[in-house]
Amino acid sequence: MPKLAELLKSGSISATDATLTGSLTPAQAHSFINVVKDSSAFLQKITTYKMGRLKTELDAIDVARGVLVRVPSGTLPTEAQREKIKMVGCALDANAVQLFAQILQDTLENNKDNPKFESETLTKFATAFGNDLAYLGFAGTSDAYADTFATLHKGWIQLAKDDDDTQKIEYESTDSVTDRLTALVQAIPSDVFSDAVIIIGTADWQRYNYELSQNAAAQILIDGNAKRILGVPLEVQPLMPAGTYLATPLKNLVLGTVLDIRRNRTYDVEARSLKYIFEVYCDYQIIIKKWVTLMTETSGGVQ
């Protein structure tokens, strides 16, 4: 089957730079992660961090207000004066996720004259990864895999719920979306107010727009076709659960991916298909927890 043999060697993954089974080369791994990032508009806005190992620390500087002091020459600053600028951050601990895919023989034959077929297919696999990694960032509830998608990793919402340093506020089911957003804006820490956005689900955003259309006075609260409220931008995200709102600078949310991306590619003669297994190690984190404000419905309420 010479045509198939040629096809298997074509594209960005070839015999000259990678084996059929093993890890992508560093250049391929960087390219794969870039495609994953570019496939999701949301992933392009947050911090995507390429990890060189499974566990790593991501540092940040927390600068308080009023940090300037006057220390006379020949005198050492006190510990209290030093502590006004603190190193904070988060720890990334990556776990594996896999993508299993196959290309049927008929598809291979139909594309046997396309030398870019496999590289284009690799891009589609990376896009599938990007879509699911973005989704997991919102839907993930646990790191202890229990044979469900949501238990692959804790996403940003669950991380915000679990951490003691994040701010958590509630609303009543009878509150309008306008009132919810107004209360959320007022709870955003002042030191990140200018950089913060409110991540809101599509259904809630549509409901917010409907409320504004019914109440002309509410237009005072917004500017730019309901894209802001009290000066804070609304980041409309279809993956955000309805009734949940999260305010933070987008770059405060992290998706870490390890550069050691494993790839297995074999031709199954009996099944007459080209089979792929991609394995990527990743983790989700929030860099500075106190910059996050999470709003949910009051426990026990029915929306």
PDB file of all heavy atoms in Angstrom, residues 219-235:
ATOM      1  N   GLN A 219     -30.281  51.922  32.050  1.00  0.00           N
ATOM      2  CA  GLN A 219     -29.255  52.280  31.089  1.00  0.00           C
ATOM      3  C   GLN A 219     -28.161  53.143  31.716  1.00  0.00           C
ATOM      4  O   GLN A 219     -27.039  53.210  31.223  1.00  0.00           O
ATOM      5  CB  GLN A 219     -29.882  53.038  29.912  1.00  0.00           C
ATOM      6  CG  GLN A 219     -30.823  52.187  29.066  1.00  0.00           C
ATOM      7  CD  GLN A 219     -30.081  51.155  28.230  1.00  0.00           C
ATOM      8  OE1 GLN A 219     -28.895  51.307  27.982  1.00  0.00           O
ATOM      9  NE2 GLN A 219     -30.773  50.116  27.822  1.00  0.00           N
ATOM     10  N   ILE A 220     -28.487  53.779  32.821  1.00  0.00           N
ATOM     11  CA  ILE A 220     -27.492  54.590  33.521  1.00  0.00           C
ATOM     12  C   ILE A 220     -26.331  53.733  33.989  1.00  0.00           C
ATOM     13  O   ILE A 220     -25.197  54.196  34.104  1.00  0.00           O
ATOM     14  CB  ILE A 220     -28.149  55.312  34.731  1.00  0.00           C
ATOM     15  CG1 ILE A 220     -29.261  56.239  34.226  1.00  0.00           C
ATOM     16  CG2 ILE A 220     -27.126  56.086  35.536  1.00  0.00           C
ATOM     17  CD1 ILE A 220     -30.072  56.861  35.343  1.00  0.00           C
ATOM     18  N   LEU A 221     -26.589  52.458  34.246  1.00  0.00           N
ATOM     19  CA  LEU A 221     -25.568  51.580  34.800  1.00  0.00           C
ATOM     20  C   LEU A 221     -24.590  51.054  33.764  1.00  0.00           C
ATOM     21  O   LEU A 221     -23.574  50.478  34.115  1.00  0.00           O
ATOM     22  CB  LEU A 221     -26.236  50.377  35.493  1.00  0.00           C
ATOM     23  CG  LEU A 221     -27.149  50.689  36.669  1.00  0.00           C
ATOM     24  CD1 LEU A 221     -27.801  49.403  37.154  1.00  0.00           C
ATOM     25  CD2 LEU A 221     -26.377  51.349  37.796  1.00  0.00           C
ATOM     26  N   ILE A 222     -24.913  51.198  32.497  1.00  0.00           N
ATOM     27  CA  ILE A 222     -24.093  50.549  31.482  1.00  0.00           C
ATOM     28  C   ILE A 222     -23.562  51.536  30.474  1.00  0.00           C
ATOM     29  O   ILE A 222     -23.968  52.691  30.423  1.00  0.00           O
ATOM     30  CB  ILE A 222     -24.890  49.458  30.733  1.00  0.00           C
ATOM     31  CG1 ILE A 222     -25.948  50.128  29.839  1.00  0.00           C
ATOM     32  CG2 ILE A 222     -25.526  48.477  31.670  1.00  0.00           C
ATOM     33  CD1 ILE A 222     -26.529  49.211  28.803  1.00  0.00           C
ATOM     34  N   ASP A 223     -22.598  51.069  29.677  1.00  0.00           N
ATOM     35  CA  ASP A 223     -22.211  51.790  28.484  1.00  0.00           C
ATOM     36  C   ASP A 223     -21.787  50.760  27.458  1.00  0.00           C
ATOM     37  O   ASP A 223     -21.256  49.718  27.775  1.00  0.00           O
ATOM     38  CB  ASP A 223     -21.071  52.774  28.762  1.00  0.00           C
ATOM     39  CG  ASP A 223     -19.800  52.089  29.200  1.00  0.00           C
ATOM     40  OD1 ASP A 223     -19.172  51.412  28.359  1.00  0.00           O
ATOM     41  OD2 ASP A 223     -19.424  52.222  30.375  1.00  0.00           O
ATOM     42  N   GLY A 224     -22.066  51.014  26.195  1.00  0.00           N
ATOM     43  CA  GLY A 224     -21.622  50.115  25.143  1.00  0.00           C
ATOM     44  C   GLY A 224     -22.436  48.855  24.992  1.00  0.00           C
ATOM     45  O   GLY A 224     -21.893  47.763  24.993  1.00  0.00           O
ATOM     46  N   ASN A 225     -23.738  48.955  24.850  1.00  0.00           N
ATOM     47  CA  ASN A 225     -24.597  47.804  24.540  1.00  0.00           C
ATOM     48  C   ASN A 225     -24.434  46.674  25.542  1.00  0.00           C
ATOM     49  O   ASN A 225     -24.225  45.517  25.185  1.00  0.00           O
ATOM     50  CB  ASN A 225     -24.302  47.298  23.123  1.00  0.00           C
ATOM     51  CG  ASN A 225     -25.319  46.279  22.663  1.00  0.00           C
ATOM     52  OD1 ASN A 225     -26.461  46.301  23.094  1.00  0.00           O
ATOM     53  ND2 ASN A 225     -24.898  45.383  21.790  1.00  0.00           N
ATOM     54  N   ALA A 226     -24.539  46.985  26.808  1.00  0.00           N
ATOM     55  CA  ALA A 226     -24.509  45.994  27.883  1.00  0.00           C
ATOM     56  C   ALA A 226     -23.208  45.209  27.925  1.00  0.00           C
ATOM     57  O   ALA A 226     -23.182  44.066  28.354  1.00  0.00           O
ATOM     58  CB  ALA A 226     -25.692  45.048  27.781  1.00  0.00           C
ATOM     59  N   LYS A 227     -22.121  45.809  27.484  1.00  0.00           N
ATOM     60  CA  LYS A 227     -20.821  45.148  27.539  1.00  0.00           C
ATOM     61  C   LYS A 227     -20.065  45.501  28.822  1.00  0.00           C
ATOM     62  O   LYS A 227     -19.029  44.911  29.126  1.00  0.00           O
ATOM     63  CB  LYS A 227     -19.960  45.555  26.335  1.00  0.00           C
ATOM     64  CG  LYS A 227     -20.482  45.022  25.011  1.00  0.00           C
ATOM     65  CD  LYS A 227     -20.449  43.519  24.952  1.00  0.00           C
ATOM     66  CE  LYS A 227     -20.852  43.012  23.585  1.00  0.00           C
ATOM     67  NZ  LYS A 227     -20.833  41.542  23.491  1.00  0.00           N
ATOM     68  N   ARG A 228     -20.574  46.444  29.574  1.00  0.00           N
ATOM     69  CA  ARG A 228     -19.980  46.841  30.847  1.00  0.00           C
ATOM     70  C   ARG A 228     -21.089  47.118  31.848  1.00  0.00           C
ATOM     71  O   ARG A 228     -22.214  47.426  31.465  1.00  0.00           O
ATOM     72  CB  ARG A 228     -19.116  48.111  30.705  1.00  0.00           C
ATOM     73  CG  ARG A 228     -17.860  47.943  29.887  1.00  0.00           C
ATOM     74  CD  ARG A 228     -17.148  49.275  29.688  1.00  0.00           C
ATOM     75  NE  ARG A 228     -15.935  49.115  28.930  1.00  0.00           N
ATOM     76  CZ  ARG A 228     -14.719  48.970  29.464  1.00  0.00           C
ATOM     77  NH1 ARG A 228     -14.578  49.000  30.785  1.00  0.00           N
ATOM     78  NH2 ARG A 228     -13.661  48.830  28.714  1.00  0.00           N
ATOM     79  N   ILE A 229     -20.738  47.035  33.114  1.00  0.00           N
ATOM     80  CA  ILE A 229     -21.635  47.490  34.161  1.00  0.00           C
ATOM     81  C   ILE A 229     -20.799  48.217  35.205  1.00  0.00           C
ATOM     82  O   ILE A 229     -19.792  47.693  35.702  1.00  0.00           O
ATOM     83  CB  ILE A 229     -22.433  46.329  34.801  1.00  0.00           C
ATOM     84  CG1 ILE A 229     -23.366  46.890  35.884  1.00  0.00           C
ATOM     85  CG2 ILE A 229     -21.532  45.231  35.317  1.00  0.00           C
ATOM     86  CD1 ILE A 229     -24.446  45.913  36.325  1.00  0.00           C
ATOM     87  N   LEU A 230     -21.149  49.469  35.443  1.00  0.00           N
ATOM     88  CA  LEU A 230     -20.414  50.332  36.370  1.00  0.00           C
ATOM     89  C   LEU A 230     -18.924  50.350  36.038  1.00  0.00           C
ATOM     90  O   LEU A 230     -18.076  50.353  36.914  1.00  0.00           O
ATOM     91  CB  LEU A 230     -20.643  49.874  37.817  1.00  0.00           C
ATOM     92  CG  LEU A 230     -22.088  49.971  38.316  1.00  0.00           C
ATOM     93  CD1 LEU A 230     -22.216  49.378  39.710  1.00  0.00           C
ATOM     94  CD2 LEU A 230     -22.560  51.415  38.307  1.00  0.00           C
ATOM     95  N   GLY A 231     -18.618  50.336  34.753  1.00  0.00           N
ATOM     96  CA  GLY A 231     -17.231  50.436  34.302  1.00  0.00           C
ATOM     97  C   GLY A 231     -16.495  49.123  34.162  1.00  0.00           C
ATOM     98  O   GLY A 231     -15.369  49.090  33.667  1.00  0.00           O
ATOM     99  N   VAL A 232     -17.089  48.024  34.589  1.00  0.00           N
ATOM    100  CA  VAL A 232     -16.417  46.720  34.536  1.00  0.00           C
ATOM    101  C   VAL A 232     -16.886  45.957  33.296  1.00  0.00           C
ATOM    102  O   VAL A 232     -18.094  45.766  33.109  1.00  0.00           O
ATOM    103  CB  VAL A 232     -16.715  45.894  35.804  1.00  0.00           C
ATOM    104  CG1 VAL A 232     -16.040  44.529  35.719  1.00  0.00           C
ATOM    105  CG2 VAL A 232     -16.247  46.649  37.042  1.00  0.00           C
ATOM    106  N   PRO A 233     -15.954  45.489  32.455  1.00  0.00           N
ATOM    107  CA  PRO A 233     -16.352  44.758  31.248  1.00  0.00           C
ATOM    108  C   PRO A 233     -17.012  43.423  31.582  1.00  0.00           C
ATOM    109  O   PRO A 233     -16.661  42.766  32.572  1.00  0.00           O
ATOM    110  CB  PRO A 233     -15.016  44.535  30.513  1.00  0.00           C
ATOM    111  CG  PRO A 233     -14.069  45.523  31.107  1.00  0.00           C
ATOM    112  CD  PRO A 233     -14.500  45.715  32.520  1.00  0.00           C
ATOM    113  N   LEU A 234     -17.934  43.007  30.738  1.00  0.00           N
ATOM    114  CA  LEU A 234     -18.558  41.689  30.843  1.00  0.00           C
ATOM    115  C   LEU A 234     -17.908  40.760  29.813  1.00  0.00           C
ATOM    116  O   LEU A 234     -17.903  41.056  28.621  1.00  0.00           O
ATOM    117  CB  LEU A 234     -20.060  41.776  30.591  1.00  0.00           C
ATOM    118  CG  LEU A 234     -20.873  42.644  31.552  1.00  0.00           C
ATOM    119  CD1 LEU A 234     -22.333  42.663  31.137  1.00  0.00           C
ATOM    120  CD2 LEU A 234     -20.725  42.159  32.986  1.00  0.00           C
ATOM    121  N   GLU A 235     -17.353  39.673  30.287  1.00  0.00           N
ATOM    122  CA  GLU A 235     -16.760  38.651  29.423  1.00  0.00           C
ATOM    123  C   GLU A 235     -17.806  37.551  29.254  1.00  0.00           C
ATOM    124  O   GLU A 235     -17.993  36.699  30.127  1.00  0.00           O
ATOM    125  CB  GLU A 235     -15.488  38.089  30.052  1.00  0.00           C
ATOM    126  CG  GLU A 235     -14.833  36.969  29.271  1.00  0.00           C
ATOM    127  CD  GLU A 235     -14.207  37.417  27.968  1.00  0.00           C
ATOM    128  OE1 GLU A 235     -13.849  38.617  27.853  1.00  0.00           O
ATOM    129  OE2 GLU A 235     -14.066  36.575  27.063  1.00  0.00           O
TER     130      GLU A 235
END
